[in-house]
Amino acid sequence: MSTQREHDRSFVRTFFTSPTAVKGENDSAKMIRSAAQLRGMRAPDVWVPDNEDATAPSMRDEGAENIVEVVAEHGAAFPGEIHPRIVWHRDSPGTRYRGFQHILEISDPEKGAIEHIDGFVVPEVGGIDDWKKADEFITIVENEHGLEEGSIAMSVIIESAAAELAMGDLREEMGKPDNNLERLFLLVDGEVDYTKDMRAITPTGGLPPWEELRHNTSRGASAAGLIAIDGPYDDIRDTEGYNERMTDNRAKGMIGIWSLTPGQVVEANTAPLPPVTGSWLINAAGEDVELDSEGSTQFYEGDRIELESTDNGYVLHIGSDKRELDEDELREELLNMTEYVPSMDDIVDSMEEFEAAKESGKGAISMTQTATIVIDSLEIEIEKDRMWDEATYQAAMTPISLFQDVYENRPDQHDDLAELYGEEVVERAMKVGE
Amino acid sequence: MSTQREHDRSFVRTFFTSPTAVKGENDSAKMIRSAAQLRGMRAPDVWVPDNEDATAPSMRDEGAENIVEVVAEHGAAFPGEIHPRIVWHRDSPGTRYRGFQHILEISDPEKGAIEHIDGFVVPEVGGIDDWKKADEFITIVENEHGLEEGSIAMSVIIESAAAELAMGDLREEMGKPDNNLERLFLLVDGEVDYTKDMRAITPTGGLPPWEELRHNTSRGASAAGLIAIDGPYDDIRDTEGYNERMTDNRAKGMIGIWSLTPGQVVEANTAPLPPVTGSWLINAAGEDVELDSEGSTQFYEGDRIELESTDNGYVLHIGSDKRELDEDELREELLNMTEYVPSMDDIVDSMEEFEAAKESGKGAISMTQTATIVIDSLEIEIEKDRMWDEATYQAAMTPISLFQDVYENRPDQHDDLAELYGEEVVERAMKVGE
Amino acid sequence: MSTQREHDRSFVRTFFTSPTAVKGENDSAKMIRSAAQLRGMRAPDVWVPDNEDATAPSMRDEGAENIVEVVAEHGAAFPGEIHPRIVWHRDSPGTRYRGFQHILEISDPEKGAIEHIDGFVVPEVGGIDDWKKADEFITIVENEHGLEEGSIAMSVIIESAAAELAMGDLREEMGKPDNNLERLFLLVDGEVDYTKDMRAITPTGGLPPWEELRHNTSRGASAAGLIAIDGPYDDIRDTEGYNERMTDNRAKGMIGIWSLTPGQVVEANTAPLPPVTGSWLINAAGEDVELDSEGSTQFYEGDRIELESTDNGYVLHIGSDKRELDEDELREELLNMTEYVPSMDDIVDSMEEFEAAKESGKGAISMTQTATIVIDSLEIEIEKDRMWDEATYQAAMTPISLFQDVYENRPDQHDDLAELYGEEVVERAMKVGE
C-alpha cells in the first residue's frame, strides 16, 4: 500500500473561516449565510463555519444550529468543501464533550446538513491519543446516525508542541485497527495559540516565523497522505506580506493557507497557480529584483547595478564591486545573475516538448529562453538553456497537478481560469502529464 | 491530566555555573562560596555549582565536598534554586558511576546540604534510556537517604543528537510506572559539545547557530511541561551579541539562558522582562532601526530613508527606491514601515482595558498608539491601531506571567524591579490576568 | 555500548555517481569504466555506479552486468569504496523485486565483483519498515552467496518525508534481533525527489534550501553512528555556489556531498580540509568580507567601511553609521569586527601547544594572532587572543580527525596532500590528538 491522499481533493489552496453566530444582529447566521453564497475565485476550496474562536463562547450553541440551517439550505450549491470547526481542547474534558455534542447535532441526517458536510475541524489537539479521542467521537456519531464509518473527514489545528510532535507518528498510527484516523484530511497550523503554548515572546508582540513548525507540518502531511495548511495572516490589508508568506510556504511544500476575508481567498486561490506571464529576475547585490518587461526586452531600473561601455568593453558595477568585462564575459555574468520565472504557458510548452522527446526515445532535452537585458540603456542579448530530464519534468508536474486538481474540482472557477490564462492554455494544461 | 509544569518555578531566566573546586587557591571553594552570596539581579534563578566541565577532573571529589560545605552554610539564604551539575556520560559507565557517588554523597541529609538543593544537572545524556539510568540513580539516592521519591529534580544538558531525539519522546515516557522522569525540570542546550557530537565545522571555529536544536528543545520542554534553557555565550564582553541571542531565543519560546558571569546574570535576568519605556522601530530597507525618542516625537537619524517636501506633496527615498506621495499616502506608508515596541506599562494598560471590555461583554477592542515621526526635519503624525481580542490578550500574558513568576519567587529582586518600573506599574502588573 | 561508526571510513567527503550503461555507445560501460580508473583528488571516497536515475530504465539489466564486469576488472585498484545504486521504490513492489535481483546478480562471488564492492545504495526508501525490506533482501543475498551476514553495507537516499521521519527511529531500530540494520552506512539527501514528494513549488523551479531536512539527516547520522551526505548540486559550472553549499552543510555536521563530475569530486574532496593559509574576515555592514593579505598585512578594499584620521583620532564609517574613536577604541572596534580563519598549520600549532600545556597541568592557554589592518591607507595593529580549553581543543579535533581519516584511507592522495600543505604539516597533523 502506498501513501496516497484518500480524499476528493489532492490540493487545498484556501481554508476560509466564518463566525457561525454573531451577537446583536437580526440574523445571527448572517456571516455564514453570506459566506455560503460565495462563488468563483472568492469561494474557498475549504469553507469552515467556525464555531470556535471566531464565535463568542456564549453563542456557540446557536452557532451549531446556524450551521445546520445554513448548510442545509446552501450546502448543495456551495462549490468548495464544507468543514465546520467545533470546540475542543486537549486540557479540558468539558470542552471536548461539548465539541462531541455539536458534531452529533450537526450530523443528524434528519436535519439535512450532513449530506453537504465533508468533515469537521478539531482545534487545540494535543498528543496522538488526544487526536484519537476526537476520531472516536466522530466514529460514534457516524454509528449513531447510520453514516458510513470513516465517511466524515477530520482536520486538526496544530497549535501545541504536543500536536507538532504527534505529526511524526501519524503514518504509523493511521493504519491501526482500533482507530479510524484514515479520516484525517488537513493539518492546519495555528500560530497564535502555538506561540502561546511555546511561551514565545517578540518585542512587538508579532508572531515568530515558526519555520520549523511549518516544515514539520508539511512533512507530516506528506508522510501520511494529508494536506498542509498555514495559519491566518492577520494583517488583511497587507496583500504583499500575505503573498510573501505564501511563496515561502510553497517552498516548504505547504500550498494552502487560511483566509480571513473573501479578498484573502482570491489572493490565496490565485497565488499557487503558475503566473500568466513569465518574468526575469536579476540578483542585485543579494536581492532578487524583477526586471521591467516590454516584449522580450527586460529593463533594469534600480541603482544597485550600473553598466558603462568603454573602448575595450564594459564596466559592470554591482553594489560596491566593479568589474571590467568584454562582451562575452558580460553575457556570461548576466546569465549567472538572472533567472527566468516561467509562465503557465512556458511550463506546459516544456512539458509537451519533453513528453514528445521521451516518446521518441530521448531522456533529456534542452529548453532555451532568450531575452534582451537593458541596463543603463546598454542592450545585451542572453540565451538561457535549461536541461529538462525526467526529474525536471516531475518537479514541474506539481504546479500542473495543482491546476488540474483545481480545474476538476472547481467548475465555478472555469471562467475565471479561462479568462486568466486563455482557453487554449487551459486546455493544454489539462492534457499534459496524462 | 493536562501538561503542566510541576516545579516551583514556571520560568527560569538564568542558569549560572560556578567551578566547585579551584586548584592552587587557599580556599578551593572560593568561587562557589562567593556565588552563593549573590543577591538581587546578580543572583540567578538557578545556580549550578558545576562539578563537571568548569572543574578540573582531578578536583571533582573535592568539588563534591565543597558543594556540601558551601550549600550547608549559605543554601538557606540563597534566593534562587540550587542544582549542582555532576559528571555523566552516555558512553562511559565509569563516569556515570562516579556521578552517582557524588549525588549520593551530596544528598546525605546528615551533611545539611540536601535540604537546600532543588535538584541535579546531568550532562552528556544520550537516548531516553540513558536519561532513565540517571533518574534511577536519583531514585536510589532518595530511597537510601529517606527522601521522598521524586523530590529531587533532574535537569539535563542536551549535547548529543541522541538527546535531541529523546526530547521527542519525553511526553510519553514521563508517565510510565517504571521511572520517575516527572522529576525532570530543565532542558539545557550545550552547543559546544553538541557541535562536536554532530561533527560540525565552521571556518573560524565559531559555533553554528543550531536553529533547529533550539526549536526542538523549546518544543520538547513545552510538550512535557519543562523549561528550556540555551547554552553558554562565550564572549562575555559582547553584551550586544548576548542580547541578540536572547531575543532570538525568546522568539523560539526559550526564555532562559546560561550565564557565565554575574554580569551575564544581570543581563539575562533583565532581558526577558518587558522594557521600561516603549519605542518605535522603522523598517529601513530591510533592517529594523529604532527611532530616537524625545517624548512622543520620534526622530529617524539614519541615511537609508530620506524625505523631501515638494509643491504637490512628498518624495520618500528608501534605499534606491523613490516614491511621490501626498500626505495621506505618506502617512499610510509610514504606518506600514513602523512598529511599536510596548513597554511594561503599555502592556498592563492594554490588558486592563481588555479585561474591562470583556467584563462589559465586548470581545475585541482597538488600542491606539500615536507618534510624531520626524525624517529630515519633516514631521508626520501617525496613529497606529491594534485590535486586541482574546488571542492578543493571551499572547501578551506570556511576558506578564514571567514577570509575576519572577516577582513571586524572587523577593530579593523586588527593590530592583520597583526601581526599574516604579511601584505602581509593578503593583498593577501583579494584578492583571488574575 | 556507545554510538560508534562501525565502517572503515569515519568520514566520506565525496559520493560520485556514474551511469552504468549508456545507449548508443560502442561500449555501454564507458562511463563506469573511466570512473573506475580515477585516482587522487579526482577519485571519490565513495564511488556509486548508478543503476537507477542516471541510467535509462531500459538499460538497467545491462547496467547490472556492466557493474560486475568493470568492478571485477578495476575494483581491486580503485582507491575509494564502491557502492552501486540499485533500483527501489517504497510504492512499487515490482521495482523492489528488480532491485533485489540486481543485488543478487552483482553479488555472485563467482563473478568476481563482490569482493571489491563495499555495499549498495538504496534509493526512494519510505518508512523504517521499508528500509527493513531492503536490509532483509541483502541478508538473503549474503546467505545465498555464502557471504558473512552484515558484511554488505547499505546506504539510503532520503527523498521522501517518510524516510526523513524514519531517521529519528534508527538508533532504536538498529539493535533489534530481527534485522541487520547495523549494515547502514550513508544517509544521503536526494533533494530533487524530496521536493516532489513534499510537493514544494518555487517560482523559478529551483530547489528549496531544505534546511530542516539537512539538519535532520545530519542528526540522524550522528545519533546512529552513520555518515550524512548532501544531494547533487546540478549547476556543475557554479563552483562558488557548490562551495557555499558545502560550507553551509559543514556547519550542520554534514561533511560529505554528492558529486556529478570529477571536477566536483576535486572540489568536494578538498573543501572540508582546513585551508592552506589563514585569512582574516571583516564584518562590513552585515556581510563577512575576506581581507586581501600581503604577509601579515591585511587590506580592506571594499567601500562599505571608511576610515579617516583627524586631529583627535579617527572617524570610522560603516555603512551609514559614523563614529569618532581614539586609537584604542578603534583597535577595540576592529577586534570586534574581525575574525581569523585558521590554516591547517595554525590548527595543528594550537593543538600541539594545548597538548603540551595540558601535559604540564594547565587547563587553558591563550593563543594570539596578530595582524596589521589597512583601511584607506591607515594602518592599525591588532592582536586577537583566543582561549583554548579542552572544549576548543575537542572542537578543533573534528577537521583534524577528518584529515587523518582521509590520509589513512586514501594513500593515492598522499602526494596531493603533501604538495598542498607541505610534508612537515602533514606529518604533524597525523600525530596530533593521538
Side-chain angles (χ1 to χ4, degrees):
Chain A
M1 206 193 73
S2 67
T3 308
Q4 285 179 339
R5 291 167 178 81
E6 304 288 351
H7 299 273
D8 294 338
R9 295 296 304 256
S10 304
F11 292 88
V12 168
R13 295 165 295 171
T14 37
F15 179 96
F16 174 57
T17 48
S18 322
T20 56
V22 186
K23 223 176 190 163
E25 300 281 346
N26 280 346
D27 172 15
S28 77
K30 183 184 160 184
M31 297 292 281
I32 48 172
R33 205 179 302 281
S34 87
Q37 296 173 65
L38 291 169
R39 296 293 181 272
M41 297 308 271
R42 291 169 63 85
D45 286 342
V46 166
W47 174 46
V48 181
D50 184 3
N51 208 37
E52 199 221 11
D53 281 0
T55 300
S58 63
M59 298 297 285
R60 289 176 187 165
D61 290 334
E62 190 171 333
E65 289 167 29
N66 286 344
I67 293 171
V68 169
E69 187 217 319
V70 170
V71 173
E73 184 180 351
H74 296 285
F78 187 75
E81 296 201 355
I82 303 177
H83 296 254
R85 175 157 78 158
I86 48 83
V87 294
W88 189 267
H89 204 290
R90 58 194 175 282
D91 291 339
S92 163
T95 306
R96 295 197 294 270
Y97 185 53
R98 199 170 173 208
F100 165 65
Q101 289 173 310
H102 287 152
I103 298 175
L104 189 64
E105 178 188 347
I106 296 167
S107 304
D108 184 348
E110 304 213 340
K111 295 186 175 157
I114 188 65
E115 60 191 286
H116 310 304
I117 286 176
D118 300 275
F120 289 92
V121 178
V122 184
E124 296 288 2
V125 289
I128 190 74
D129 284 350
D130 187 56
W131 301 36
K132 290 177 188 169
K133 297 173 194 170
D135 164 50
E136 169 66 358
F137 277 156
I138 300 178
T139 300
I140 287 172
V141 166
E142 287 166 337
N143 183 62
E144 285 304 303
H145 289 323
L147 302 166
E148 191 190 347
E149 196 166 309
S151 63
I152 298 179
M154 169 173 148
S155 301
V156 294
I157 315 285
I158 306 298
E159 43 197 336
S160 67
E164 185 186 353
L165 284 167
M167 292 190 293
D169 298 325
L170 284 184
R171 194 182 156 82
E172 301 204 348
E173 295 287 348
M174 278 170 71
K176 293 190 175 167
D178 283 334
N179 68 55
N180 287 308
L181 284 176
E182 295 89 339
R183 69 168 84 253
L184 280 168
F185 176 44
L186 305 177
L187 301 176
V188 186
D189 283 342
E191 281 93 351
V192 172
D193 281 356
Y194 179 81
T195 299
K196 197 177 74 181
D197 185 68
M198 292 284 279
R199 309 198 306 177
I201 302 175
T202 60
T204 59
L207 291 174
W210 297 124
E211 297 274 358
E212 293 88 358
L213 170 66
R214 288 182 284 147
H215 174 76
N216 292 340
T217 303
S218 179
R219 179 183 63 176
S222 182
L226 309 178
I227 294 174
I229 305 282
D230 193 20
Y233 191 85
D234 272 342
D235 190 347
I236 57 176
R237 292 174 317 173
D238 179 13
T239 308
E240 194 184 329
Y242 192 49
N243 272 286
E244 279 170 14
R245 178 66 168 217
M246 288 192 279
T247 301
D248 192 49
N249 284 343
R250 286 195 297 274
K252 293 174 169 294
M254 184 179 253
I255 307 290
I257 194 167
W258 200 302
S259 298
L260 294 168
T261 63
Q264 282 195 336
V265 171
V266 173
E267 287 298 322
N269 272 341
T270 313
L273 300 174
V276 173
T277 53
S279 56
W280 286 85
L281 304 178
I282 193 160
N283 191 288
E287 230 188 338
D288 279 333
V289 177
E290 190 176 325
L291 296 175
D292 287 340
S293 179
E294 287 182 22
S296 73
T297 310
Q298 309 293 329
F299 295 86
Y300 175 70
E301 306 285 10
D303 60 6
R304 308 186 87 171
I305 302 173
E306 284 166 42
L307 187 63
E308 310 163 53
S309 70
T310 62
D311 292 350
N312 315 315
Y314 296 89
V315 181
L316 178 69
H317 302 257
I318 306 173
S320 63
D321 189 57
K322 172 177 150 180
R323 294 199 218 172
E324 295 182 20
L325 304 166
D326 67 25
E327 189 163 346
D328 284 349
E329 290 166 339
L330 176 63
R331 181 169 293 119
E332 185 66 26
E333 192 59 36
L334 288 175
L335 265 175
N336 286 338
M337 291 167 66
T338 51
E339 280 192 285
Y340 184 66
V341 176
S343 67
M344 171 77 99
D345 196 8
D346 294 323
I347 297 174
V348 171
D349 263 356
S350 305
M351 292 181 74
E352 287 172 346
E353 272 196 50
F354 181 77
E355 286 175 359
K358 203 162 61 169
E359 196 115 319
S360 76
K362 273 197 249 174
I365 56 170
S366 176
M367 305 290 297
T368 301
Q369 202 71 38
T370 59
T372 304
I373 308 286
V374 184
I375 303 174
D376 295 334
S377 306
L378 296 167
E379 301 192 355
I380 309 94
E381 310 270 330
I382 63 170
E383 229 183 74
K384 235 183 164 61
D385 291 324
R386 186 162 179 206
M387 279 292 294
W388 270 67
D389 61 11
E390 186 63 30
T392 330
Y393 175 80
Q394 292 289 344
M397 198 63 219
T398 301
I400 296 299
S401 300
L402 164 65
F403 177 81
Q404 294 175 346
D405 191 65
V406 166
Y407 199 82
E408 274 156 26
N409 287 285
R410 295 297 304 273
D412 63 312
Q413 296 187 349
H414 285 189
D415 288 353
D416 289 307
L417 294 174
E419 199 179 320
L420 199 60
Y421 293 111
E423 294 278 6
E424 185 253 353
V425 171
V426 167
E427 216 166 280
R428 286 164 53 218
M430 289 306 293
K431 275 196 202 130
V432 91
E434 270 175 355
Chain B
M1 207 192 69
S2 67
T3 308
Q4 284 178 342
R5 289 168 178 82
E6 303 289 350
H7 299 274
D8 295 339
R9 296 295 305 258
S10 302
F11 292 88
V12 168
R13 297 165 293 172
T14 38
F15 178 96
F16 174 55
T17 48
S18 321
T20 56
V22 186
K23 224 176 189 164
E25 300 280 347
N26 281 345
D27 172 15
S28 77
K30 187 183 158 183
M31 299 291 282
I32 50 172
R33 207 179 300 281
S34 87
Q37 296 174 65
L38 292 169
R39 296 292 181 273
M41 297 309 270
R42 290 169 63 84
D45 286 343
V46 165
W47 174 45
V48 181
D50 184 3
N51 209 37
E52 198 222 13
D53 280 358
T55 300
S58 63
M59 298 297 285
R60 289 174 188 166
D61 290 335
E62 190 171 332
E65 288 166 30
N66 286 344
I67 292 171
V68 169
E69 188 217 318
V70 171
V71 173
E73 185 181 349
H74 296 286
F78 187 76
E81 297 201 356
I82 303 177
H83 296 253
R85 175 158 76 158
I86 47 83
V87 293
W88 190 267
H89 203 288
R90 58 195 175 281
D91 291 339
S92 162
T95 305
R96 295 197 295 269
Y97 185 54
R98 200 172 173 206
F100 166 64
Q101 288 173 311
H102 287 153
I103 299 174
L104 189 65
E105 179 189 345
I106 296 167
S107 303
D108 184 349
E110 304 213 340
K111 295 187 175 155
I114 188 65
E115 60 190 287
H116 311 305
I117 285 175
D118 300 275
F120 289 91
V121 177
V122 184
E124 295 289 1
V125 289
I128 190 74
D129 285 349
D130 187 56
W131 302 35
K132 290 177 188 168
K133 297 173 194 171
D135 165 50
E136 169 66 358
F137 278 156
I138 300 178
T139 299
I140 286 172
V141 166
E142 287 166 338
N143 184 62
E144 286 303 302
H145 289 323
L147 302 165
E148 191 189 345
E149 197 165 309
S151 61
I152 298 178
M154 170 173 145
S155 300
V156 294
I157 315 285
I158 307 297
E159 43 198 336
S160 67
E164 185 186 353
L165 285 168
M167 293 190 294
D169 297 325
L170 285 183
R171 194 184 157 82
E172 301 206 346
E173 294 288 346
M174 278 171 69
K176 292 190 176 167
D178 284 332
N179 69 54
N180 287 309
L181 284 176
E182 295 87 341
R183 68 170 84 251
L184 279 169
F185 177 43
L186 306 177
L187 301 176
V188 186
D189 283 342
E191 281 93 351
V192 173
D193 281 355
Y194 179 81
T195 299
K196 196 178 73 182
D197 186 66
M198 292 284 278
R199 310 198 306 178
I201 300 175
T202 61
T204 61
L207 291 174
W210 296 123
E211 298 274 358
E212 293 88 359
L213 170 67
R214 289 183 283 148
H215 174 76
N216 292 340
T217 303
S218 180
R219 178 182 66 175
S222 183
L226 310 178
I227 295 174
I229 305 283
D230 193 19
Y233 191 84
D234 272 342
D235 190 348
I236 57 177
R237 294 174 316 175
D238 180 13
T239 308
E240 194 184 330
Y242 193 48
N243 271 286
E244 279 170 14
R245 177 68 169 217
M246 288 192 281
T247 302
D248 192 48
N249 285 343
R250 286 196 297 276
K252 291 173 171 294
M254 184 180 255
I255 308 290
I257 193 168
W258 202 302
S259 297
L260 294 168
T261 65
Q264 282 194 336
V265 171
V266 173
E267 287 298 322
N269 272 340
T270 313
L273 300 173
V276 174
T277 51
S279 56
W280 287 85
L281 303 179
I282 192 160
N283 190 289
E287 229 188 338
D288 278 334
V289 176
E290 191 176 325
L291 296 175
D292 288 338
S293 178
E294 287 182 23
S296 72
T297 310
Q298 309 292 328
F299 295 87
Y300 174 71
E301 305 287 9
D303 60 5
R304 307 186 88 170
I305 303 174
E306 284 167 43
L307 187 62
E308 312 162 53
S309 71
T310 61
D311 292 351
N312 315 317
Y314 295 89
V315 180
L316 178 69
H317 301 258
I318 306 174
S320 63
D321 189 57
K322 172 176 151 181
R323 296 200 218 172
E324 296 183 19
L325 305 165
D326 67 27
E327 190 163 345
D328 284 349
E329 290 166 339
L330 176 63
R331 180 170 291 118
E332 184 67 26
E333 191 59 35
L334 288 175
L335 266 174
N336 285 338
M337 290 167 67
T338 52
E339 280 192 286
Y340 183 66
V341 176
S343 67
M344 170 78 99
D345 196 10
D346 294 324
I347 297 174
V348 171
D349 265 357
S350 304
M351 292 182 74
E352 286 171 347
E353 272 197 51
F354 181 76
E355 285 174 0
K358 203 161 62 169
E359 197 114 316
S360 76
K362 272 197 250 174
I365 57 170
S366 176
M367 305 292 296
T368 302
Q369 203 71 39
T370 59
T372 305
I373 309 285
V374 183
I375 302 174
D376 295 333
S377 308
L378 296 168
E379 302 191 354
I380 308 94
E381 310 270 329
I382 63 168
E383 229 183 73
K384 231 181 166 63
D385 291 323
R386 182 158 181 209
M387 278 293 294
W388 269 68
D389 60 11
E390 186 64 29
T392 331
Y393 175 80
Q394 293 289 346
M397 198 63 217
T398 300
I400 297 299
S401 300
L402 163 66
F403 178 81
Q404 293 175 346
D405 190 65
V406 167
Y407 199 83
E408 275 157 25
N409 288 285
R410 295 294 305 271
D412 64 311
Q413 295 187 349
H414 285 189
D415 288 352
D416 289 306
L417 294 174
E419 200 180 317
L420 199 62
Y421 293 111
E423 294 278 6
E424 185 253 353
V425 171
V426 168
E427 218 166 279
R428 287 163 52 220
M430 288 306 295
K431 276 195 202 129
V432 91
E434 269 176 355
Chain C
M1 207 195 69
S2 66
T3 308
Q4 285 178 340
R5 290 167 179 83
E6 304 289 349
H7 298 273
D8 294 337
R9 297 295 307 258
S10 303
F11 291 89
V12 168
R13 296 165 294 172
T14 37
F15 178 96
F16 174 57
T17 47
S18 322
T20 56
V22 187
K23 225 177 188 162
E25 300 281 345
N26 280 345
D27 172 15
S28 77
K30 185 184 160 184
M31 299 292 280
I32 49 172
R33 205 179 301 279
S34 86
Q37 297 174 64
L38 291 169
R39 295 293 180 273
M41 299 307 272
R42 291 170 63 85
D45 286 343
V46 166
W47 174 46
V48 181
D50 184 2
N51 209 36
E52 199 222 11
D53 280 359
T55 300
S58 63
M59 298 297 285
R60 288 175 188 165
D61 290 334
E62 189 172 334
E65 288 167 30
N66 286 344
I67 293 172
V68 169
E69 186 217 318
V70 171
V71 173
E73 183 182 351
H74 295 286
F78 188 75
E81 297 200 355
I82 303 176
H83 296 253
R85 174 157 77 160
I86 47 83
V87 294
W88 190 266
H89 203 290
R90 59 194 173 281
D91 291 339
S92 162
T95 306
R96 295 197 295 271
Y97 185 53
R98 200 171 172 207
F100 166 63
Q101 288 172 309
H102 287 152
I103 298 175
L104 188 65
E105 177 189 347
I106 296 168
S107 303
D108 185 347
E110 304 211 343
K111 295 187 175 156
I114 188 66
E115 60 190 288
H116 310 304
I117 286 176
D118 300 276
F120 289 92
V121 177
V122 184
E124 296 288 1
V125 289
I128 191 72
D129 286 349
D130 187 55
W131 302 36
K132 290 177 188 169
K133 296 174 195 170
D135 165 50
E136 169 66 356
F137 278 156
I138 300 178
T139 299
I140 287 172
V141 166
E142 287 166 336
N143 183 63
E144 287 303 303
H145 288 324
L147 303 166
E148 192 189 345
E149 197 167 309
S151 62
I152 298 179
M154 170 172 145
S155 300
V156 294
I157 315 284
I158 307 298
E159 42 198 337
S160 67
E164 185 186 354
L165 285 167
M167 293 190 293
D169 297 325
L170 284 184
R171 194 183 157 81
E172 303 205 345
E173 295 287 347
M174 278 171 68
K176 292 191 176 167
D178 284 332
N179 68 55
N180 287 307
L181 284 175
E182 295 88 340
R183 68 170 83 252
L184 279 169
F185 177 44
L186 306 176
L187 302 176
V188 185
D189 283 343
E191 279 93 351
V192 172
D193 280 356
Y194 179 81
T195 299
K196 196 178 73 180
D197 185 67
M198 292 283 280
R199 309 199 305 179
I201 301 175
T202 61
T204 60
L207 292 173
W210 297 124
E211 297 275 358
E212 293 87 359
L213 170 67
R214 287 182 286 147
H215 174 76
N216 292 341
T217 303
S218 180
R219 179 181 67 174
S222 183
L226 309 180
I227 295 174
I229 305 282
D230 193 20
Y233 190 85
D234 272 342
D235 190 346
I236 57 175
R237 292 174 317 173
D238 180 12
T239 309
E240 194 184 329
Y242 193 48
N243 272 286
E244 279 170 14
R245 177 65 169 219
M246 288 191 280
T247 302
D248 192 49
N249 284 342
R250 286 194 297 276
K252 292 173 170 293
M254 185 180 254
I255 308 289
I257 194 167
W258 200 303
S259 297
L260 294 168
T261 64
Q264 282 194 336
V265 172
V266 173
E267 287 299 321
N269 272 341
T270 312
L273 300 174
V276 174
T277 53
S279 56
W280 288 84
L281 302 180
I282 194 160
N283 192 288
E287 228 188 336
D288 279 333
V289 176
E290 190 177 326
L291 296 176
D292 288 338
S293 178
E294 289 183 20
S296 73
T297 310
Q298 307 293 329
F299 295 87
Y300 175 70
E301 307 286 10
D303 61 4
R304 308 187 87 169
I305 303 174
E306 284 167 42
L307 186 63
E308 311 163 54
S309 71
T310 62
D311 292 350
N312 314 316
Y314 296 89
V315 180
L316 178 67
H317 302 257
I318 307 174
S320 63
D321 189 57
K322 172 178 151 180
R323 293 197 219 174
E324 295 182 18
L325 305 166
D326 67 25
E327 189 164 344
D328 284 349
E329 291 166 338
L330 175 62
R331 181 169 293 119
E332 185 66 26
E333 191 58 35
L334 287 176
L335 266 174
N336 285 338
M337 290 167 68
T338 52
E339 279 192 287
Y340 183 66
V341 176
S343 66
M344 170 78 98
D345 196 10
D346 295 323
I347 297 173
V348 171
D349 264 356
S350 304
M351 292 182 75
E352 286 171 347
E353 273 197 51
F354 181 76
E355 286 175 359
K358 203 163 61 171
E359 195 114 316
S360 76
K362 273 197 249 174
I365 56 170
S366 176
M367 304 292 297
T368 302
Q369 202 72 40
T370 59
T372 305
I373 309 284
V374 183
I375 303 175
D376 295 335
S377 307
L378 295 168
E379 301 192 355
I380 309 95
E381 310 270 329
I382 63 168
E383 229 182 73
K384 232 183 165 63
D385 292 323
R386 183 158 182 210
M387 280 292 294
W388 268 67
D389 60 11
E390 187 63 30
T392 331
Y393 175 79
Q394 293 289 345
M397 199 62 219
T398 301
I400 297 299
S401 301
L402 164 65
F403 177 80
Q404 294 175 346
D405 191 65
V406 166
Y407 199 82
E408 275 157 25
N409 287 284
R410 296 295 305 271
D412 62 312
Q413 296 188 349
H414 284 189
D415 288 352
D416 289 307
L417 294 173
E419 199 180 320
L420 199 62
Y421 292 112
E423 294 278 5
E424 185 253 353
V425 170
V426 168
E427 217 166 280
R428 287 162 54 218
M430 288 307 293
K431 276 195 201 130
V432 91
E434 272 177 353

